[in-house]
Amino acid sequence: MQSNSLASGASLLRTAKGIVVFSGAGLSADSGIPAFRDGETGLWNTVDPDEVARIEGFPRHPARVWSWLLELKKWVDERQPNAAHQALARLQETCRGKRLTVITQNIDNYHSRAGNAPVLEVHRTIHHRRRCQQHCGFTTKLKQAA
């Protein structure tokens, strides 16, 4: 039965004009990045997301927000794309001539680092520029603390 499933999947890939892959926190778990809402190990278990991840929390606790974001960025930067990210990059290479698009809610940038393009990041990445919410034009990259 499994070989039928693999053959059927391979046939679909061969005849497809385009391929879309949706990914989420489970894919990066093997890289050591816990899901935000995962039971006992979730990132939201130790912090209130309204305080550190919503724009309304920043004016109330800017130091806490920056500290949490820097820690999260450090965690992401210290880890690497895993075998699943690499497999999707190989799939894209194998399926030349077909458009393979990855849509992810992950903020770790591991799909791009593994070699996929395009990658549509629903929540952007921890590496994107920060911008002024008052539209003053100020932008900056999140830098790692020394």
Side-chain angles (χ1 to χ4, degrees):
M1 172 122 160
Q2 185 177 3
S3 64
N4 272 348
S5 296
L6 288 175
S8 179
S11 176
L12 283 171
L13 289 175
R14 275 192 296 280
T15 60
K17 292 179 183 169
I19 302 163
V20 177
V21 175
F22 292 93
S23 78
L27 195 75
S28 292
D30 283 347
S31 291
I33 307 294
F36 282 87
R37 294 177 186 86
D38 188 29
E40 295 177 20
T41 61
L43 293 172
W44 291 145
N45 291 351
T46 59
V47 67
D48 180 354
D50 286 337
E51 285 186 20
V52 298
R54 295 190 51 155
I55 192 60
E56 296 83 8
F58 185 78
R60 292 190 300 264
H61 307 287
R64 183 174 177 150
V65 171
W66 282 120
S67 173
W68 189 79
L69 286 172
L70 287 171
E71 188 61 32
L72 181 58
K73 182 180 181 300
K74 179 180 176 204
W75 204 354
V76 166
D77 289 347
E78 289 175 349
R79 287 157 180 79
Q80 300 295 321
N82 63 50
H85 299 103
Q86 301 295 339
L88 288 172
R90 283 192 310 276
L91 177 63
Q92 185 165 20
E93 186 67 27
T94 302
C95 294
R96 282 190 185 254
K98 300 175 189 291
R99 180 155 174 101
L100 186 141
T101 302
V102 175
I103 301 173
T104 185
Q105 63 179 347
N106 295 349
I107 63 167
D108 51 39
N109 199 38
Y110 290 169
H111 286 293
S112 294
R113 285 177 54 193
N116 279 112
V119 177
L120 305 177
E121 296 156 328
V122 175
H123 300 298
R124 300 182 70 176
T125 77
I126 193 74
H127 301 98
H128 273 93
R129 291 186 174 275
R130 304 302 176 250
R131 62 182 165 80
C132 173
Q133 293 298 311
Q134 302 302 315
H135 308 290
C136 72
F138 175 79
T139 64
T140 185
K141 282 197 170 200
L142 184 62
K143 295 183 173 97
Q144 192 61 50

